[in-house]
């Protein structure tokens, strides 16, 4: 099949999932995959005859206060679909991708070309941005006019049905990791590069530092852990709350124990050296970073919000707590970290839990959705 994937090219979860999905579809199933987005996706580290990238260029006109990205995207979609005889379009994130996809489909219809559209909902396109009254009609319309819709967790599916007037079936297909690729990668884990004192516990947080990630809660939990156990915190990522988090540490003399690493392409090296992962978010449709931590045998202490309990099983892969319960999160983390037997049990269980999300099952599920969408469009023409 020739599949075009539209996504955000950044470090964010939806872009990572879309890129890894495209790579896996091409590598293990022989599909031809075309990524269409405004810059080279960060995780797209291989290109070839079956894996292509098309940049959406938005001409800048001083005449316009806002440059029309959707217009440029839908025009690019039409161009790529025609040129490469694309069979199906898979858009990740409803805003504005599903909307632009619909416009492209309409333009293509005029040229006698039919284009099935699959939309995958990721989270903030529904729970934060999408439910805004300003966008709601466009998001509802785009979801209802897709040929198939998937959501990355049961929780996100329920939120979508609650917040929008949905006349579509929504299939839950979780995010994924690639166990075989991970095992084959054989990472040389050098913990001492991060912390020479091997007695110190390494705690990690990875996010885009948006307010909903509650990075100050991460720091507060860490402070409590540090009172009981020698430890170091790695803050990985960049975003609006980074300055606030840095200032918090500076004011409390924490900068010797907290490292701000920025956005990193060396997540594997960071996670393989980590003892615990913290994710105290106030909203999370899935929590891909937590799953990636589990793949590296890192237990997760998180909130029990949104899709997180579907990913992080309480008392198995880690522990989950109500939003803002700093004391409980710290006590839970200390319980895991202070006893080597308990820690090792959680490490093994975290990895076992990650296996439930292996790429192979997920790829097959997406292929079935694609086949159904193609059939649906064929039958209606
Ligand atoms: O919040 C982020 O980390 C970015 C955001 C995105 O759109 O890339 O992540 C969303 O999609 C990820 C992949 O499906 C999920 O793992 C995240 O939980 C989800 N974020 C939220 O729901 C807040």
């Amino acid at each position: 099949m020739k599949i075009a994937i539209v996504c955000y090219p950044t470090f964010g979860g939806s872009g990572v999932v879309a890129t890894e999905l495209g790579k896996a579809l091409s590598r293990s199933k022989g599909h031809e995959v075309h990524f269409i987005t405004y810059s080279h996706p960060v995780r797209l580290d291989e290109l070839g005859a079956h894996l292509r990238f098309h940049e959406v260029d938005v001409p800048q006109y001083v005449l316009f206060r806002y440059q029309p990205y959707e217009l440029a995207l839908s025009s690019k979609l039409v161009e790529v679909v025609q040129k490469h005889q694309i069979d199906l379009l898979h858009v990740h994130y409803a805003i504005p991708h599903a909307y632009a996809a619909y416009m492209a489909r309409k333009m293509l219809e005029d040229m006698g070309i039919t284009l099935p559209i699959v939309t995958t909902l990721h989270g903030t396109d529904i729970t934060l941005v999408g439910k805004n009254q300003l966008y709601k009609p466009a998001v509802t319309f785009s979801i209802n006019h897709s040929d198939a819709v998937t959501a990355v967790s049961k929780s996100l599916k329920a939120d979508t049905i609650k917040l929008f007037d949905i006349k579509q079936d929504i299939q839950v297909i979780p995010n994924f990791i690639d166990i075989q690729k991970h095992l084959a990668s054989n990472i040389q884990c050098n913990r001492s590069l991060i912390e020479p004192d091997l007695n110190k516990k390494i705690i990690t947080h990875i996010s885009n530092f948006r307010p909903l990630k509650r990075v100050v809660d991460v720091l507060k939990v860490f402070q409590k852990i540090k009172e009981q156990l020698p430890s170091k915190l790695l803050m990985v990522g960049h975003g609006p709350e980074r300055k606030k988090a840095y200032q918090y540490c500076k004011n409390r003399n924490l900068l010797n124990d907290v490292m701000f690493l920025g956005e990193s392409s060396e997540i594997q090296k960071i996670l393989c050296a980590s003892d615990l992962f913290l994710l105290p978010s106030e909203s999370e449709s899935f929590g891909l970073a937590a799953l990636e931590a589990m793949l590296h045998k890192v237990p997760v202490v998180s909130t029990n919000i949104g899709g997180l309990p579907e990913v992080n099983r309480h008392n198995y892969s880690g522990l989950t707590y109500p939003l803002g319960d700093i004391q409980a999160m710290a006590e839970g983390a200390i319980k895991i970290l202070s006893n080597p037997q308990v820690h090792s049990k959680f490490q093994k269980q975290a990895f076992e839990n990650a296996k439930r999300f292996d790429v192979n099952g997920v790829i097959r599920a997406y292929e079935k959705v694609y086949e159904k969408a193609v059939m649906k469009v064929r039958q209606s023409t």
Side-chain angles (χ1 to χ4, degrees):
M1 215 182 224
K2 292 186 177 186
I3 303 156
I5 292 184
V6 178
C7 64
Y8 284 106
T10 56
F11 280 95
S14 65
V16 168
V17 168
T19 314
E20 295 294 350
L21 173 65
K23 280 157 57 177
L25 283 165
S26 139
R27 191 176 49 233
S28 60
K29 299 289 182 158
H31 296 290
E32 185 176 306
V33 178
H34 296 253
F35 290 96
I36 306 172
T37 181
Y38 58 80
S39 69
H40 197 272
V42 287
R43 288 266 183 119
L44 189 55
D45 44 11
E46 48 192 282
L47 284 173
H50 287 281
L51 214 46
R52 303 280 296 275
F53 161 61
H54 309 271
E55 186 170 343
V56 181
D57 190 25
V58 189
Q60 303 292 307
Y61 293 117
V62 277
L63 198 63
F64 298 150
R65 183 157 172 206
Y66 305 106
Q67 308 300 323
Y69 179 66
E70 291 87 318
L71 206 65
L73 175 60
S74 50
S75 301
K76 190 74 186 177
L77 288 173
V78 170
E79 179 196 313
V80 174
V81 168
Q82 274 183 304
K83 189 166 172 202
H84 298 276
Q85 287 106 44
I86 298 295
D87 299 309
L88 177 128
L89 181 59
H90 187 177
V91 297
H92 291 257
Y93 214 88
I95 303 168
H97 299 157
Y99 189 70
Y102 178 81
M103 287 313 298
R105 186 197 1 233
K106 284 293 176 200
M107 288 186 260
L108 287 159
E109 260 173 34
D110 271 6
M111 303 168 192
I113 300 170
T114 50
L115 180 67
I117 300 171
V118 175
T119 298
T120 291
L121 308 173
H122 279 275
T124 42
D125 46 353
I126 295 301
T127 54
L128 195 73
V129 195
K131 73 173 184 194
N132 186 315
Q133 289 306 324
L134 201 68
Y135 295 123
K136 216 169 172 177
V139 173
T140 312
F141 178 88
S142 312
I143 293 175
N144 285 335
H145 283 81
S146 298
D147 299 299
V149 181
T150 73
V152 297
S153 64
K154 291 183 205 148
S155 151
L156 181 59
K157 174 178 175 173
D159 282 343
T160 311
I161 292 167
K162 194 171 79 199
L163 293 166
F164 300 87
D165 182 16
I166 298 301
K167 310 211 179 322
Q168 271 276 18
D169 182 38
I170 299 178
Q171 187 175 334
V172 175
I173 303 184
N175 291 332
F176 58 91
I177 34 85
D178 189 332
I179 302 274
Q180 267 182 349
K181 193 173 162 202
H182 170 72
L183 294 175
S185 68
N186 204 7
I187 323 147
Q188 298 303 310
C189 200
N190 193 346
R191 213 183 138 99
S192 59
L193 270 182
I194 293 170
E195 174 51 59
D197 180 353
L198 296 179
N199 289 319
K200 277 197 185 174
K201 304 295 176 196
I202 299 179
I203 295 154
T204 301
H205 169 77
I206 304 176
S207 77
N208 48 22
F209 286 49
R210 285 190 293 153
L212 61 83
K213 300 290 176 181
R214 303 277 288 229
V215 285
V216 173
D217 284 8
V218 174
L219 301 172
K220 288 181 178 168
V221 172
F222 173 69
Q223 273 180 294
K224 287 189 182 293
I225 299 173
K226 202 175 79 74
E227 284 166 14
Q228 306 283 323
L229 299 167
S231 39
K232 180 156 207 162
L233 175 65
L234 308 181
M235 296 288 278
V236 185
H238 213 297
E241 299 273 280
R242 191 213 168 264
K243 258 193 190 153
K244 185 172 158 189
Y246 186 85
Q247 201 56 45
Y248 182 98
C249 295
K250 198 171 173 196
N251 295 346
R252 287 159 187 81
N253 244 335
L254 285 171
L255 286 174
N256 282 339
D257 303 311
V258 182
M259 273 170 83
F260 287 87
L261 298 178
E263 286 175 340
S264 173
S265 334
E266 303 214 281
I267 295 299
Q268 294 200 335
K269 288 188 185 159
I270 293 167
L271 287 174
C272 78
S274 303
D275 295 303
L276 191 94
F277 190 82
L278 286 177
L279 196 60
S281 310
E282 68 183 44
S283 165
E284 205 72 71
S285 70
F286 187 88
L288 183 66
L291 178 59
E292 293 194 326
M294 290 174 206
L295 175 66
H296 290 82
K297 301 195 172 87
V298 185
V300 175
V301 170
S302 71
T303 41
N304 53 14
I305 302 281
L308 277 172
E310 293 171 50
V311 182
N312 183 20
R313 283 165 65 195
H314 183 67
N315 244 328
Y316 188 69
S317 53
L319 299 165
T320 64
Y321 296 100
L323 176 68
D325 197 342
I326 311 286
Q327 185 62 32
M329 287 188 230
E331 280 170 15
I334 293 165
K335 186 182 103 180
I336 294 177
L337 291 171
S338 56
N339 181 326
Q341 274 92 41
V342 174
H343 189 220
S344 154
K345 190 172 125 204
F346 271 96
Q347 284 177 312
K348 283 189 197 112
Q349 291 172 175
F351 184 64
E352 282 308 309
N353 187 49
K355 285 184 187 166
R356 295 192 294 133
F357 299 91
D358 188 43
V359 64
N360 289 319
V362 171
I363 293 294
R364 193 62 209 118
Y366 274 119
E367 280 184 313
K368 281 191 181 152
V369 168
Y370 295 167
E371 284 155 18
K372 257 169 87 177
V374 169
M375 284 304 290
K376 188 175 165 186
V377 170
R378 259 190 216 148
Q379 279 162 5
S380 68
T381 49

